[in-house]
Amino acid sequence: MFDTLTARFEDLFYKIKNKGKLSPTDLDSALREIKLALLEADVNFKVVKEFLENVKTKATGEKILESITPYQQVVKIVNEEIIKMLGPSSGGISFSSSGPTIIMVMGLQGSGKTSSVIKLANYINSKFSRKVSIVAADIYRPAAVQQLKDMAKNINVDVFFQSGLDPVSISSKGVEFFRKNGSDVIIIDTAGRLQIDRDMMDEIANIRKKINPHLIYLVLDAMTGQEAVNIAYGFNEKVEYDGIIMTKLDSDTRGGAALSVYHVVKKPIEFISTGEKIEDFDLFHPERMASRILGMGDILTLVEKAEEVVSEKEAKLIEEKIYKNELNFEDFISQLRSIKKIGSLDKIFSMIPVPAINKNKVAGKINLDDSYIDRIEAIINSMTVEERRKPHIINGSRRKRIAKGSGSSVTEINKLLKQFSKTRQLLKQYSGTKGKSGMPF
Amino acid sequence: MQKLIRNINYLWNKFKNDNRLFWDELEEQMIAGDISIDTTAMILDEVKKNAYSENINDPERIETLIKSEIIKILEINKNTELNIPHEPPAVFLIVGVNGTGKTSSVAKLASMFKKDGKKVLLSAADTYRAAAVEQLQHYAEKLNLDIVYHQKFSDPGAVVYDSIEKAKAKGIDIVLIDTAGRMQTSHNLMEELKKIKKVISGRINRDADEILLVIDSTTGQNAKKQVELFNKSLNLTGIILTKTDSTSKGGIVITIKNDLKVPVKLITSGEKLDDMSYFDAVKFTDLLFS
Ligand SMILES: Nc1nc2c(ncn2[C@@H]2O[C@H](COP(=O)(O)OP(=O)(O)O)[C@@H](O)[C@H]2O)c(=O)[nH]1
Ligand SMILES: [Mg+2]
């Protein structure tokens, strides 16, 4: 999610930063930029208005015009207000104290309900080790039930469906069935519908009445435009829900919808979905989203993910080696593998806090292609253990052999060796100044 | 779709004494309809210029001016005709991000062509999403059409190859290729589409006859990036705008037309097979103003 909102803020703050002091006209042009940026990011225009009022009042109240650090002050205020506008941090799931927890999911066509149901089931299953089951209540879209069944199979979750029944009966039968079979959590996947479709909205209201879910989530596509608030509002009028699952955040959408919906409907975003893989699902953190918007990258998420895959001991060891300039290809390949565990290269890249403008430039140049890692891996795999441990012994004839073994060219081998020694130097410098490195790159 | 500008008469009376506020309100309503800031500014500048030079003092005529500016933009590259070559089979590639309505658009297109007496073959090149093939199979059965599919996770390029070969052998007129949803930012998946495109041109000795991007009309400004990046990778021949039965105002189309000039060829307005029609700039604009 590197985008113009980030870029605009960065440009803006850069200007202010260079000036030192902020004049009232500076503040106004700052507010104007923020307005444009937010609108371009699909934040609802009414919400933008309110946001600007708040920032202005605060900025004036806190006397930032007289401050000698106006840059920090404005960033602070904008950041705080954005976090506020994004609503509370996800509270996670509160399970029913007696009997199974029943969850219903609803939303527009194509918003990502079915995959969210699967990801949610997997999340509950793996985080809380509870037995989750799913009821398939979409009788309209061709092969919707089959889709759910196929995906559920991958995560070992049972699906209830009975043909010939209407969605209300399917839901109540399904809930009864799983109640008896000892499920802890029962999730109901419903058909996509427009919030203005009377019959379909009556249907979902009836499902709710019949089965009385403990939790209802609205699934909302993060790429939705200005209508997001009306969609969120329309569903809530007819079937009040508890929270929102925001999907497709792996796109380069600026996610303005996320900024608006809480503000208008006062229903928190609980989960975000960031890719097509089952694990691409997470609790919503407003601070992270805000810092992403503000161009600070999602460094918190990245750090956390890196910590998950790199043990502290391993990190220490690497750090030491970097310091002694002893880093070799064996370390390198294990690091590459850790990176692959974190996610795809472009995803990792999008989480790194580099100014958006630079990022786009770099992204264009290095083609964030995961097969790049595979190629490097192939080359390193063709090295002998000795070569991996002591890269400096890799001479001309060895290079030729490695090239042959890995199906690459000598030029590629040369390039890798050169890059490697450069990286080694850089890392040494980095460890020299920072002194701490828990990150695998 | 819903009305783009509400109560222009009311606004006119309310801000009688302050022109600026009147225009600001109009600007907001247009932005609220997902028209980008730049396109909105461009339209309103033109409208203001005309309104002042012709001394227009009537809100309804201002509305008409806005309308005609929008029509002007939407009529850029207004050719909606689908390219069907003399030598069959015609090959259409349908692409887009996840959930926009690709598969149902393929079915709607198929139904449309079948009514015209054309022989259609469906190519299930979404080998990724669970039950994507079954979804397309359902339509093939319903419309009684040929369909080519392979195993799950198999190479979509191979499906396309087989589809075209089969179409040639069976004297099919039109091959409609359904593809997996993908984000325009995913390098690998965009490369996969390029490869499919190459397979097609290798089989028919010309580029795919149509490469249509499916865009959900509730999408905000990101739709612009979708068109930009899909176009960069594939050279789109047109856009299918789906879900115009929703409450969105489809303003993003105006922006796309204005910025990127890719023609919108078709729109869908519901989930039934015949809820598809050719895009008509005037009719579309009428909808926005009625
Ligand atoms: N209301 C409405 N729903 C649509 C329209 N076109 C497609 N859909 C629905 O959008 C959902 C996703 O469509 P699908 O074709 O499976 O999308 P794909 O993932 O892009 O292939 C399905 O539930 C469709 O019925 C339309 O014009 N209006
Ligand atoms: Mg599909």
Short mmCIF file of all heavy atoms in Angstrom, two decimals, chain A residues 330-364:
data_model
loop_
_atom_site.label_atom_id
_atom_site.label_comp_id
_atom_site.label_asym_id
_atom_site.label_seq_id
_atom_site.Cartn_x
_atom_site.Cartn_y
_atom_site.Cartn_z
N GLU A 330 25.87 -19.78 3.63
CA GLU A 330 24.94 -20.62 4.39
C GLU A 330 23.98 -19.78 5.19
O GLU A 330 22.79 -20.06 5.27
CB GLU A 330 25.72 -21.56 5.31
CG GLU A 330 26.22 -22.77 4.56
CD GLU A 330 26.65 -23.87 5.49
OE1 GLU A 330 27.06 -23.58 6.63
OE2 GLU A 330 26.58 -25.03 5.07
N ASP A 331 24.53 -18.71 5.78
CA ASP A 331 23.65 -17.79 6.51
C ASP A 331 22.68 -17.13 5.54
O ASP A 331 21.51 -16.97 5.81
CB ASP A 331 24.45 -16.70 7.22
CG ASP A 331 25.59 -17.27 8.03
OD1 ASP A 331 25.33 -18.25 8.74
OD2 ASP A 331 26.71 -16.76 7.92
N PHE A 332 23.27 -16.77 4.42
CA PHE A 332 22.50 -16.04 3.43
C PHE A 332 21.27 -16.83 2.99
O PHE A 332 20.16 -16.32 2.96
CB PHE A 332 23.42 -15.77 2.23
CG PHE A 332 22.92 -14.72 1.28
CD1 PHE A 332 22.66 -13.42 1.74
CD2 PHE A 332 22.73 -14.99 -0.05
CE1 PHE A 332 22.23 -12.44 0.88
CE2 PHE A 332 22.29 -14.01 -0.93
CZ PHE A 332 22.04 -12.73 -0.46
N ILE A 333 21.50 -18.11 2.73
CA ILE A 333 20.37 -18.90 2.24
C ILE A 333 19.34 -19.12 3.34
O ILE A 333 18.13 -19.11 3.11
CB ILE A 333 20.84 -20.23 1.61
CG1 ILE A 333 19.73 -20.79 0.73
CG2 ILE A 333 21.25 -21.25 2.64
CD1 ILE A 333 20.21 -21.79 -0.28
N SER A 334 19.80 -19.26 4.56
CA SER A 334 18.82 -19.46 5.63
C SER A 334 18.02 -18.17 5.83
O SER A 334 16.83 -18.20 6.14
CB SER A 334 19.49 -19.92 6.93
OG SER A 334 19.94 -18.82 7.66
N GLN A 335 18.68 -17.04 5.61
CA GLN A 335 17.96 -15.77 5.70
C GLN A 335 16.93 -15.65 4.57
O GLN A 335 15.82 -15.20 4.78
CB GLN A 335 18.93 -14.59 5.62
CG GLN A 335 19.85 -14.50 6.83
CD GLN A 335 19.08 -14.42 8.12
OE1 GLN A 335 18.34 -13.48 8.34
NE2 GLN A 335 19.24 -15.42 8.98
N LEU A 336 17.35 -16.07 3.39
CA LEU A 336 16.43 -16.01 2.26
C LEU A 336 15.19 -16.83 2.54
O LEU A 336 14.07 -16.44 2.26
CB LEU A 336 17.10 -16.54 0.99
CG LEU A 336 18.03 -15.59 0.26
CD1 LEU A 336 18.57 -16.25 -1.00
CD2 LEU A 336 17.31 -14.31 -0.12
N ARG A 337 15.42 -17.99 3.14
CA ARG A 337 14.28 -18.85 3.45
C ARG A 337 13.37 -18.19 4.47
O ARG A 337 12.15 -18.30 4.38
CB ARG A 337 14.76 -20.21 3.93
CG ARG A 337 15.37 -21.00 2.78
CD ARG A 337 15.65 -22.45 3.13
NE ARG A 337 16.31 -23.10 2.00
CZ ARG A 337 17.46 -23.75 2.09
NH1 ARG A 337 18.08 -23.86 3.25
NH2 ARG A 337 17.98 -24.28 1.01
N SER A 338 13.96 -17.49 5.44
CA SER A 338 13.12 -16.80 6.42
C SER A 338 12.28 -15.73 5.74
O SER A 338 11.12 -15.55 6.04
CB SER A 338 13.96 -16.10 7.49
OG SER A 338 14.99 -16.91 7.89
N ILE A 339 12.91 -15.04 4.80
CA ILE A 339 12.18 -13.99 4.10
C ILE A 339 10.99 -14.60 3.38
O ILE A 339 9.88 -14.09 3.43
CB ILE A 339 13.10 -13.27 3.09
CG1 ILE A 339 14.11 -12.41 3.85
CG2 ILE A 339 12.27 -12.39 2.16
CD1 ILE A 339 15.07 -11.67 2.96
N LYS A 340 11.24 -15.74 2.76
CA LYS A 340 10.14 -16.38 2.05
C LYS A 340 9.01 -16.76 2.99
O LYS A 340 7.86 -16.77 2.60
CB LYS A 340 10.64 -17.61 1.28
CG LYS A 340 11.15 -17.23 -0.11
CD LYS A 340 11.90 -18.35 -0.77
CE LYS A 340 11.00 -19.34 -1.47
NZ LYS A 340 11.82 -20.32 -2.22
N LYS A 341 9.38 -17.08 4.23
CA LYS A 341 8.34 -17.43 5.19
C LYS A 341 7.48 -16.23 5.55
O LYS A 341 6.31 -16.36 5.87
CB LYS A 341 8.97 -18.00 6.47
CG LYS A 341 9.13 -19.52 6.42
CD LYS A 341 9.43 -20.04 7.81
CE LYS A 341 10.86 -20.57 7.87
NZ LYS A 341 11.33 -20.79 9.23
N ILE A 342 8.07 -15.06 5.53
CA ILE A 342 7.30 -13.87 5.91
C ILE A 342 6.24 -13.55 4.87
O ILE A 342 5.15 -13.11 5.17
CB ILE A 342 8.21 -12.64 6.08
CG1 ILE A 342 9.24 -12.92 7.17
CG2 ILE A 342 7.41 -11.41 6.45
CD1 ILE A 342 10.18 -11.78 7.40
N GLY A 343 6.56 -13.79 3.63
CA GLY A 343 5.57 -13.51 2.60
C GLY A 343 6.25 -13.23 1.30
O GLY A 343 7.46 -13.40 1.17
N SER A 344 5.47 -12.78 0.34
CA SER A 344 6.07 -12.52 -0.95
C SER A 344 6.90 -11.25 -0.88
O SER A 344 6.68 -10.40 -0.02
CB SER A 344 4.99 -12.38 -2.01
OG SER A 344 4.27 -11.21 -1.78
N LEU A 345 7.84 -11.12 -1.79
CA LEU A 345 8.74 -9.97 -1.75
C LEU A 345 8.01 -8.65 -1.84
O LEU A 345 8.30 -7.72 -1.10
CB LEU A 345 9.75 -10.06 -2.91
CG LEU A 345 10.99 -10.88 -2.66
CD1 LEU A 345 11.92 -10.76 -3.84
CD2 LEU A 345 11.70 -10.40 -1.39
N ASP A 346 7.01 -8.58 -2.75
CA ASP A 346 6.37 -7.27 -2.87
C ASP A 346 5.57 -6.92 -1.62
O ASP A 346 5.42 -5.76 -1.26
CB ASP A 346 5.54 -7.09 -4.16
CG ASP A 346 4.79 -8.33 -4.56
OD1 ASP A 346 4.86 -9.31 -3.81
OD2 ASP A 346 4.16 -8.30 -5.63
N LYS A 347 5.09 -7.95 -0.93
CA LYS A 347 4.38 -7.65 0.31
C LYS A 347 5.33 -7.10 1.37
O LYS A 347 5.06 -6.10 2.03
CB LYS A 347 3.66 -8.89 0.81
CG LYS A 347 2.81 -8.58 1.99
CD LYS A 347 1.96 -9.75 2.41
CE LYS A 347 0.83 -10.00 1.44
NZ LYS A 347 0.22 -11.30 1.71
N ILE A 348 6.49 -7.76 1.51
CA ILE A 348 7.47 -7.30 2.48
C ILE A 348 7.87 -5.87 2.15
O ILE A 348 7.93 -4.99 3.00
CB ILE A 348 8.72 -8.19 2.46
CG1 ILE A 348 8.35 -9.60 2.94
CG2 ILE A 348 9.81 -7.60 3.34
CD1 ILE A 348 9.45 -10.61 2.75
N PHE A 349 8.08 -5.67 0.88
CA PHE A 349 8.52 -4.36 0.42
C PHE A 349 7.52 -3.27 0.77
O PHE A 349 7.87 -2.19 1.20
CB PHE A 349 8.72 -4.42 -1.09
CG PHE A 349 9.47 -3.26 -1.64
CD1 PHE A 349 10.76 -2.99 -1.23
CD2 PHE A 349 8.87 -2.42 -2.56
CE1 PHE A 349 11.44 -1.92 -1.74
CE2 PHE A 349 9.55 -1.34 -3.07
CZ PHE A 349 10.84 -1.09 -2.66
N SER A 350 6.22 -3.62 0.62
CA SER A 350 5.19 -2.61 0.88
C SER A 350 5.14 -2.24 2.35
O SER A 350 4.61 -1.22 2.74
CB SER A 350 3.83 -3.10 0.41
OG SER A 350 3.31 -4.01 1.34
N MET A 351 5.71 -3.09 3.21
CA MET A 351 5.68 -2.81 4.64
C MET A 351 6.88 -2.00 5.12
O MET A 351 6.93 -1.55 6.24
CB MET A 351 5.58 -4.11 5.42
CG MET A 351 4.26 -4.83 5.21
SD MET A 351 3.97 -6.12 6.42
CE MET A 351 4.73 -7.52 5.65
N ILE A 352 7.86 -1.85 4.25
CA ILE A 352 9.06 -1.14 4.65
C ILE A 352 8.86 0.37 4.52
O ILE A 352 8.33 0.84 3.51
CB ILE A 352 10.26 -1.57 3.79
CG1 ILE A 352 10.48 -3.07 3.94
CG2 ILE A 352 11.52 -0.82 4.21
CD1 ILE A 352 11.52 -3.61 3.01
N PRO A 353 9.25 1.13 5.52
CA PRO A 353 8.98 2.56 5.50
C PRO A 353 9.95 3.35 4.64
O PRO A 353 10.80 4.06 5.15
CB PRO A 353 9.09 2.96 6.97
CG PRO A 353 10.05 1.99 7.53
CD PRO A 353 9.88 0.72 6.77
N VAL A 354 9.83 3.23 3.35
CA VAL A 354 10.62 4.06 2.45
C VAL A 354 9.62 5.03 1.84
O VAL A 354 8.49 4.65 1.58
CB VAL A 354 11.22 3.17 1.33
CG1 VAL A 354 11.99 4.00 0.34
CG2 VAL A 354 12.09 2.10 1.93
N PRO A 355 10.02 6.28 1.62
CA PRO A 355 9.07 7.21 1.01
C PRO A 355 8.46 6.62 -0.26
O PRO A 355 9.15 5.96 -1.04
CB PRO A 355 9.92 8.42 0.68
CG PRO A 355 11.02 8.37 1.67
CD PRO A 355 11.27 6.92 1.96
N ALA A 356 7.17 6.88 -0.43
CA ALA A 356 6.43 6.24 -1.52
C ALA A 356 7.07 6.49 -2.89
O ALA A 356 7.13 5.60 -3.72
CB ALA A 356 5.00 6.75 -1.54
N ILE A 357 7.57 7.69 -3.08
CA ILE A 357 8.12 8.02 -4.39
C ILE A 357 9.31 7.12 -4.69
O ILE A 357 9.40 6.52 -5.74
CB ILE A 357 8.59 9.49 -4.40
CG1 ILE A 357 7.54 10.35 -3.72
CG2 ILE A 357 8.88 9.96 -5.81
CD1 ILE A 357 8.04 11.68 -3.25
N ASN A 358 10.22 7.01 -3.73
CA ASN A 358 11.38 6.16 -3.93
C ASN A 358 10.97 4.72 -4.15
O ASN A 358 11.53 4.02 -4.97
CB ASN A 358 12.29 6.21 -2.71
CG ASN A 358 12.92 7.57 -2.59
OD1 ASN A 358 12.92 8.34 -3.55
ND2 ASN A 358 13.40 7.89 -1.41
N LYS A 359 9.97 4.32 -3.37
CA LYS A 359 9.55 2.93 -3.43
C LYS A 359 9.10 2.58 -4.83
O LYS A 359 9.46 1.55 -5.37
CB LYS A 359 8.40 2.71 -2.47
CG LYS A 359 8.76 1.78 -1.36
CD LYS A 359 7.51 1.48 -0.61
CE LYS A 359 7.84 1.38 0.86
NZ LYS A 359 6.67 1.24 1.68
N ASN A 360 8.28 3.47 -5.39
CA ASN A 360 7.79 3.17 -6.72
C ASN A 360 8.93 3.07 -7.71
O ASN A 360 8.94 2.24 -8.59
CB ASN A 360 6.78 4.23 -7.17
CG ASN A 360 5.46 4.05 -6.46
OD1 ASN A 360 5.10 2.93 -6.11
ND2 ASN A 360 4.75 5.13 -6.22
N LYS A 361 9.90 3.94 -7.53
CA LYS A 361 11.07 3.92 -8.40
C LYS A 361 11.79 2.57 -8.28
O LYS A 361 12.03 1.89 -9.26
CB LYS A 361 12.04 5.04 -8.00
CG LYS A 361 12.14 6.13 -9.08
CD LYS A 361 13.28 7.06 -8.73
CE LYS A 361 12.76 8.43 -8.34
NZ LYS A 361 13.63 9.16 -7.45
N VAL A 362 12.08 2.23 -7.05
CA VAL A 362 12.82 0.99 -6.81
C VAL A 362 12.03 -0.21 -7.30
O VAL A 362 12.55 -1.07 -7.99
CB VAL A 362 13.11 0.82 -5.30
CG1 VAL A 362 13.81 -0.50 -5.06
CG2 VAL A 362 13.95 1.98 -4.81
N ALA A 363 10.73 -0.22 -6.98
CA ALA A 363 9.90 -1.36 -7.34
C ALA A 363 9.93 -1.57 -8.85
O ALA A 363 9.98 -2.69 -9.33
CB ALA A 363 8.47 -1.15 -6.88
N GLY A 364 9.94 -0.47 -9.57
CA GLY A 364 9.99 -0.58 -11.02
C GLY A 364 11.30 -1.20 -11.49
O GLY A 364 11.34 -1.94 -12.44
#
